[in-house]
Amino acid sequence: MHCPFCQFADSRVVDSRTSDDGQSIRRRRQCPRCGRRFSTSETASLTVLKRSGVAEPFSRDKVIAGVRKACQGRPVTGDQLARLAQQVEETVRTAGRAEVDAHDVGVAVLAPLRELDEVAYLRYASVYQAFESLEDFEAAIAVLRADQGSAGHGSADRRESAEVQAP
Ligand SMILES: [Zn+2]
């Protein structure tokens, strides 16, 4: 690890600790030439396999880009999306595999997105769970309702559902 201050090609580890979530190791290093200290963070690499067969590194930005489309016109903030992407990464990493399918990443989005915004959730789920008919939406909405025990904004849900029928 090069020193970020003087670019010296070596550094000494003076402290090493695992992050609270166990997903990364933080090392405190010292440069033997200029004596300055800096930190590095080490995480296992995580590869996402797309359906096309292409493999690419997991990217929170890509998660956010996908979810943002589903959140169009919804009261969801950039901070909330960033937190969601972090939750998705934690979920995917918990499986402990170095490679995951893009589909698994999509599925990991569902639970936190549902917490955030139910309409965005339905839009997203319609893609990742391959909803094929209004009945699929009705079933998903029924599950949301049953969990909530609430009624009253059904017509809004239906209107939103109809909009995403034609992707
Ligand atoms: Zn240095």
Side-chain angles (χ1 to χ4, degrees), residues 111-132:
L113 183 55
R114 182 177 154 175
E115 293 290 308
L116 215 54
D117 188 276
E118 289 179 342
V119 171
Y121 162 79
L122 282 173
R123 288 174 176 163
Y124 198 88
S126 72
V127 175
Y128 276 88
Q129 297 181 327
F131 286 13
E132 286 172 351

Side-chain angles (χ1 to χ4, degrees), residues 1-8 10-11 29-31 34 36-40:
M1 180 66 64
H2 287 241
C3 170
F5 301 105
C6 71
Q7 319 309 323
F8 188 65
D10 197 13
S11 61
R29 293 171 181 270
Q30 184 168 31
C31 172
C34 72
R36 288 206 251 190
R37 293 189 172 200
F38 56 97
S39 297
T40 55

Side-chain angles (χ1 to χ4, degrees), residues 127-144:
V127 175
Y128 276 88
Q129 297 181 327
F131 286 13
E132 286 172 351
S133 65
L134 277 178
E135 283 72 28
D136 289 336
F137 280 98
E138 281 166 357
I141 290 167
V143 170
L144 288 176

Side-chain angles (χ1 to χ4, degrees), residues 114 118 138 140-155 157-158:
R114 182 177 154 175
E118 289 179 342
E138 281 166 357
I141 290 167
V143 170
L144 288 176
R145 284 240 175 78
D147 288 357
Q148 254 182 3
S150 78
H153 52 290
S155 60
D157 282 347
R158 274 167 203 276

Side-chain angles (χ1 to χ4, degrees), residues 1-154:
M1 180 66 64
H2 287 241
C3 170
F5 301 105
C6 71
Q7 319 309 323
F8 188 65
D10 197 13
S11 61
R12 192 166 62 86
V13 175
V14 292
D15 187 34
S16 182
R17 62 185 59 178
T18 306
S19 65
D20 291 339
D21 60 8
Q23 309 276 14
S24 63
I25 292 175
R26 192 165 174 276
R27 293 206 164 89
R28 196 83 185 125
R29 293 171 181 270
Q30 184 168 31
C31 172
R33 186 162 81 182
C34 72
R36 288 206 251 190
R37 293 189 172 200
F38 56 97
S39 297
T40 55
S41 177
E42 184 180 297
T43 52
S45 72
L46 182 59
T47 300
V48 177
L49 292 175
K50 302 173 81 169
R51 206 181 302 175
S52 60
V54 175
E56 57 183 29
F58 176 88
S59 155
R60 288 190 194 181
D61 288 344
K62 289 213 167 126
V63 171
I64 291 172
V67 174
R68 183 169 276 141
K69 276 184 229 159
C71 290
Q72 246 168 25
R74 302 300 304 169
V76 175
T77 67
D79 279 356
Q80 287 174 317
L81 287 179
R83 201 154 50 236
L84 179 142
Q86 184 185 342
Q87 285 175 288
V88 169
E89 179 169 357
E90 284 166 7
T91 302
V92 172
R93 283 188 181 278
T94 300
R97 285 153 52 205
E99 284 185 348
V100 293
D101 289 335
H103 182 78
D104 295 335
V105 178
V107 168
V109 165
L110 292 173
L113 183 55
R114 182 177 154 175
E115 293 290 308
L116 215 54
D117 188 276
E118 289 179 342
V119 171
Y121 162 79
L122 282 173
R123 288 174 176 163
Y124 198 88
S126 72
V127 175
Y128 276 88
Q129 297 181 327
F131 286 13
E132 286 172 351
S133 65
L134 277 178
E135 283 72 28
D136 289 336
F137 280 98
E138 281 166 357
I141 290 167
V143 170
L144 288 176
R145 284 240 175 78
D147 288 357
Q148 254 182 3
S150 78
H153 52 290

